[in-house]
Amino acid sequence: MQSKLLLLGNNCIHTFNYFQLVKDYFDEILLLTDKSGGACEGLPLKVLDYSPNPYKMLKACRETKRIIKTYKPTIIHGQQINKALFFAVWANKSFKIPMVATAWGSDVLVIPKQNIVYRKIVNYVLRNVPYLTSDSKYMAEQMEQIAGRKLDIAIANFGINLPKLTICKQDVVYSNRLHEKLYRIDAIIIAFSRFLKNNPHWKLVIAGTGSETENLKQLVKTLSVENNVKFVGWLNQEQNFYYYSIAKYWVSIPESDATAISLFEAMAMESIPVVSDLPANREWIVCGENGFIVDDTDADFLSKIVGVNVETFVPKNKEIVLKNATKKANKAKFLAVYDKILNKQ
C-alpha cells in the first residue's frame, strides 16, 4: 500500500525544510499551504485561503474535506497549530486518518494568551490530535496546560545541517531574528551602543527584516553608531552561516520563544549564545557554562559578558548540537512518530 502524507503548513522556509526532511519516508507528499510561490515553490501543493472571512473560511474547510477524501492520505501532519489545522481536524472526523500536530512557538506560547477564540482552537486541536510534537519540554508543558490533560508529545526540532565553513572569529556581535517588537532588536542595539563606549572597534551585524526595520535603522542613527552597525537584510543559508562563523557572540533576546533553530546554528558555528531568560533557552544554556542568559534586557549586558573566558563553551555546545540538533537526529525522532502510527494500523 502506498504511503501518503498530507502536510499542512504556511509557505515558509520551515515548512519547506520539513518537507525535505521526511520526503523519503513517504511515496507521496501533498502540501496544503496559504500561498503559492515563496519558499515552497516547486513542491506539490494546493493553496487554500483561511483569511478571516466567513465565506472564504467555509470554502477552505470544504476544500480541505474534499482533498482528504480524494487524496486518501495515510497520515495528516499539521505544521503549526492554527486555523488550517483546526479545520483539517474537523474535516477529518469523517475519515479518521491518523493525525500529527507540530507546535512552533507563538501558536502555543503567545497567541492563546491574547485571544480566547484562538485558545479554544488550540485546545480543540490538542484534544483531538493524538500525536503531537514540540521543540522544547517547556512548550510541551504549556500544550498540556491548554489541553487540561496529559498528552503524547515527542520532543523534536527541524534540525540543522552542519556546514563546512572556516571559523574565523572577528570582534562581531550577530543578530538574525525577525525585526518585530517581540524580538527586541532595539534592546540589542541600545546595549551595543553602551558597549561601544569602551570597545569602539566592535561591529554589530543585524540580519533579517520585518515591520520594525526602518525604526531600528533610525535608532542606530539616533544613537550615532552607524559606523559600527551593519544591516544585511534577509540572507540565504550560506550568507547566514558566514556571519555565524565570524561572530564571537550571537544575541537573541525575544520576550517569548520556543527553541530557536538559530540557537543551534550559532552553537554549531562556535558563536557564543547570548539569550533571554526563557524556559526553552534554559533547556540548552547554562549561564556562564556554554552561553549567557540575560535577565535584564535594558541593562548593559554586553559589557558584562565580553571578556569572560569562553574557551570551554565551544566543545560543550558542539556536543549538544550533535546529540540533539542535527537533521539526522531529528529526522529519526519524527520518523519514529510515523512508525508508531503505521505499526498501529
Side-chain angles (χ1 to χ4, degrees):
M1 179 181 172
Q2 250 199 347
S3 60
K4 293 181 177 181
L5 175 66
L6 183 62
L7 181 65
L8 287 77
N10 292 337
N11 191 328
C12 66
I13 191 62
H14 296 309
T15 302
F16 175 83
N17 286 340
Y18 187 78
F19 186 104
Q20 299 299 323
L21 190 70
V22 302
K23 66 179 181 181
D24 294 337
Y25 185 88
F26 295 93
D27 295 308
E28 192 177 335
I29 300 179
L30 176 64
L31 172 64
L32 294 191
T33 191
D34 58 333
K35 60 184 178 183
S36 58
C40 295
E41 187 172 9
L43 300 183
L45 58 81
K46 289 186 180 294
V47 177
L48 297 181
D49 185 355
Y50 284 98
S51 57
N53 173 300
Y55 171 74
K56 289 182 178 179
M57 290 173 68
L58 180 61
K59 182 180 178 182
C61 187
R62 287 174 174 169
E63 181 65 9
T64 300
K65 190 171 184 177
R66 187 194 67 78
I67 290 169
I68 294 173
K69 182 178 181 179
T70 57
Y71 184 63
K72 296 182 173 64
T74 313
I75 295 173
I76 301 171
H77 190 157
Q79 290 293 335
Q80 199 167 29
I81 301 176
N82 54 17
K83 286 183 294 183
L85 182 54
F86 171 79
F87 286 117
V89 174
W90 180 85
N92 188 46
K93 289 286 186 182
S94 304
F95 309 105
K96 295 181 171 54
I97 307 296
M99 296 192 75
V100 185
T102 293
W104 279 18
S106 60
D107 51 345
V108 168
L109 301 178
V110 179
I111 301 175
K113 296 175 182 177
Q114 301 172 342
N115 187 317
I116 190 169
V117 174
Y118 196 87
R119 187 177 178 88
K120 288 182 179 296
I121 287 173
V122 175
N123 175 276
Y124 178 81
V125 170
L126 293 175
R127 294 179 69 88
N128 287 277
V129 175
Y131 302 96
L132 303 160
T133 81
S134 164
D135 64 19
S136 68
K137 293 176 184 177
Y138 171 69
M139 187 158 64
E141 291 168 358
Q142 295 301 300
M143 292 161 73
E144 290 181 333
Q145 186 176 333
I146 292 172
R149 67 181 185 188
K150 194 74 176 172
L151 300 171
D152 182 4
I153 306 174
I155 306 299
N157 57 75
F158 295 153
I160 64 170
N161 286 318
L162 297 177
K164 295 179 180 178
L165 281 178
T166 301
I167 306 293
C168 185
K169 294 302 179 187
Q170 302 173 25
D171 290 336
V172 169
V173 175
Y174 186 40
S175 163
N176 63 347
R177 305 306 298 274
L178 289 175
H179 298 180
E180 305 296 338
K181 289 186 181 297
L182 173 71
Y183 292 97
R184 298 192 286 208
I185 311 298
D186 56 342
I188 296 174
I189 293 171
I190 292 169
F192 182 74
S193 70
R194 293 169 177 163
F195 168 72
L196 273 181
K197 292 175 182 178
N198 294 315
N199 304 273
H201 59 287
W202 277 70
K203 304 290 183 185
L204 170 63
V205 176
I206 300 175
T209 57
S211 63
E212 290 292 304
T213 300
E214 292 308 313
N215 290 336
L216 295 173
K217 289 181 177 179
Q218 184 56 51
L219 176 61
V220 167
K221 290 180 181 178
T222 301
L223 295 173
S224 301
V225 292
E226 301 102 310
N227 293 334
N228 296 80
V229 180
K230 182 179 181 182
F231 287 87
V232 294
W234 193 261
L235 304 179
N236 61 34
Q237 187 180 70
E238 184 179 354
Q239 294 166 329
N240 188 34
F241 274 99
Y242 165 73
Y243 284 112
Y244 285 128
S245 74
I246 66 169
K248 289 182 178 177
Y249 298 88
W250 171 78
V251 185
S252 171
I253 53 171
E255 295 174 2
S256 175
D257 210 0
T259 298
I261 286 296
S262 49
L263 169 61
F264 293 134
E265 291 173 340
M267 293 165 80
M269 295 304 293
E270 302 181 15
S271 190
I272 304 304
V274 180
V275 297
S276 45
D277 190 1
L278 299 173
N281 286 333
R282 286 195 172 274
E283 288 181 28
W284 306 108
I285 301 299
V286 177
C287 191
E289 291 188 15
N290 69 325
F292 297 98
I293 292 177
V294 179
D295 54 11
D296 183 0
T297 57
D298 294 325
D300 185 9
F301 57 86
L302 286 173
S303 295
K304 297 176 183 177
I305 289 167
V306 176
V308 174
N309 186 353
V310 295
E311 214 173 278
T312 59
F313 289 24
V314 169
K316 289 179 181 178
N317 285 338
K318 287 196 169 182
E319 184 180 357
I320 290 171
V321 169
L322 285 172
K323 286 184 178 179
N324 302 284
T326 64
K327 286 193 178 293
K328 181 179 179 181
N330 285 282
K331 179 178 181 178
K333 294 176 184 179
F334 282 112
L335 297 192
V337 175
Y338 296 148
D339 285 340
K340 186 176 181 180
I341 294 170
L342 297 179
N343 288 338
K344 283 193 173 184
Q345 291 183 317

